[in-house]
Amino acid sequence: MMVESYLYEKENGVVKCRTCMHYCRLKEGQWGICRVRKNEGGRLVVHNYGLVSAINLDPIEKKPFHNFMPGSKALSFGSVSCNFRCDHCQNHEISFADLDYPYLRELSPEDVLEMVRISSADGVSWTYNEPAISHEFYLDASKLVKKHGYYVTYVTNGYMSHEAIEQFDVLDAANVDVKAFSEEFYRKICRARLDRVLECVEHLNRKGVFVEITYLVIPGKNDSEEELRSFAEWVAGVDKRIPVHFSRFHPDFKMLEVPPTPVRTLERACEIARNAGIEYVYIGNVWGHKYESTYCPNCGELLIEREGFYVRRINLDGSKCPACGYRQNIILQSSSERGSSQ
């Protein structure tokens, strides 16, 4: 199914897409960087509406979200293509695929709602490939599922435009990949710009979307103490209560020669982040590590005990630490109303 883009401008036969921060200007017949939008007769036509490549019921911790709805289940959807070209992409089978990908299926927003109901999910997560390039369908489906009491989350590279963020007013939470803290890395590895990702995070936070950040630590690429410290200081300057996940890299796609991240490097990244004042710091892709769990930033009490993607115990007094009373930046699922917080 094809639809007209919800966010673009026309100018003398040229269209300017305003869905992501590439802001592509397209002449007749040209495709956007995302490879799903095309200027057809002076209209920006979206070719991926309703097209889905993957559907899974996941623990919300797998996204990862650790402070938003811990212990809940998200029905997760992905499509194809991306507006980045990361050399280390860990979902490259779909992120580098085109619209002729053989395993695509077409859904309606009503199909999404029915699947959420049948799966007994607590919400939806738009993930796997970059969700912002499916803005129109994900917005329509999200409005419907939100109306029925389910939460809505994004796992994103952080290139949503300001206009897209404003229009997507049913978004509850976003985990943003900050892939490095240098423009050189973004230019060479991702074919994008760091400053625009930082703008997106700051806008989401101002908008009241619950933000968590993932930083995939890649040996020799983005793991210097100086870069990690600059990243941590920036996060703390935006909001020290934003949870940060330092995730372990594994060799993939065009970075097969790069070794997995040493666990000690991840632990050092956590130390740097805590020294910068960040309250919730996690280690990802290291099963069974202490820093999979959530601790009170005020007294150190174990608040949410995890093993991998699974929550073993939640130890909270409403939204407060039971030991010291410190109010946590954690949103829990209410026992009386799906998708609300305590």
Short mmCIF file of all heavy atoms in Angstrom, two decimals, residues 26 165 220 314:
data_model
loop_
_atom_site.label_atom_id
_atom_site.label_comp_id
_atom_site.label_asym_id
_atom_site.label_seq_id
_atom_site.Cartn_x
_atom_site.Cartn_y
_atom_site.Cartn_z
N LEU A 26 14.06 16.12 -3.11
CA LEU A 26 13.96 15.12 -4.18
C LEU A 26 13.30 15.70 -5.42
O LEU A 26 12.21 16.28 -5.36
CB LEU A 26 13.15 13.92 -3.68
CG LEU A 26 13.63 13.27 -2.38
CD1 LEU A 26 12.66 12.19 -1.95
CD2 LEU A 26 15.03 12.71 -2.53
N ILE A 165 8.58 14.26 15.67
CA ILE A 165 8.39 14.09 17.12
C ILE A 165 7.10 14.76 17.57
O ILE A 165 6.32 14.20 18.34
CB ILE A 165 9.61 14.64 17.89
CG1 ILE A 165 10.85 13.78 17.60
CG2 ILE A 165 9.32 14.67 19.40
CD1 ILE A 165 12.14 14.38 18.14
N GLY A 220 38.33 0.27 19.91
CA GLY A 220 39.13 1.02 18.97
C GLY A 220 38.38 2.01 18.11
O GLY A 220 38.98 2.73 17.30
N ILE A 314 10.98 -7.05 41.64
CA ILE A 314 10.87 -5.59 41.70
C ILE A 314 10.67 -5.20 43.16
O ILE A 314 9.72 -5.64 43.82
CB ILE A 314 9.72 -5.06 40.83
CG1 ILE A 314 9.99 -5.37 39.34
CG2 ILE A 314 9.53 -3.56 41.03
CD1 ILE A 314 8.90 -4.93 38.40
#
